Amino acid sequence: MILGAVLFGAEMLAVDAQFYLVFIGLSAALVGVLALLGLTAPEWLQWLIFAGLALGSMFTFRRKLYEKIRGNVPGFKEGIAGEYIVIDTDLAVGAQGRTQFRGTDWTVVNSGGTTIAAGSRVPVTRNEGLTLYVSADPSPTP
């Protein structure tokens, strides 16, 4: 039960393990409660119950609960499409270059139909890993 409380508390207060520790901690606590209620079982059965509860609850409830509690954070958006970056060097149509964005080096690809001049501020149309696709066109091509 102590281990269950520690895992649950760690997830809630310090570690963001996407609610995996919550379900492991709750499962450990439930097995401890069963023992306190006098429902004794061999040690191997307690471990089996613990594993079944942990895995079953993770696969059944974790995603829904995590999205409900942490997934809908106001102002949070996934991806960086629509944000603006400054291009360091001239970038011809279809060419790629390098730039700094959010403290990381990114590969930048001009997916538009016009050359982008050095120092231009352009929107990111999409990204794939550390590659940003940008365009100076009003309606960029993907």
Side-chain angles (χ1 to χ4, degrees), residues 96-108:
Q96 70 180 27
R98 302 286 295 170
T99 193
Q100 284 272 327
F101 180 63
R102 292 185 177 174
T104 304
D105 285 328
W106 296 77
T107 300
V108 181

Side-chain angles (χ1 to χ4, degrees), residues 79-81 96 98 105-109 111 124-134 142:
I80 57 177
Q96 70 180 27
R98 302 286 295 170
D105 285 328
W106 296 77
T107 300
V108 181
V109 176
S111 62
V124 175
T125 57
R126 65 186 171 100
N127 74 295
E128 292 176 3
L130 291 177
T131 301
L132 303 176
Y133 292 86
V134 297

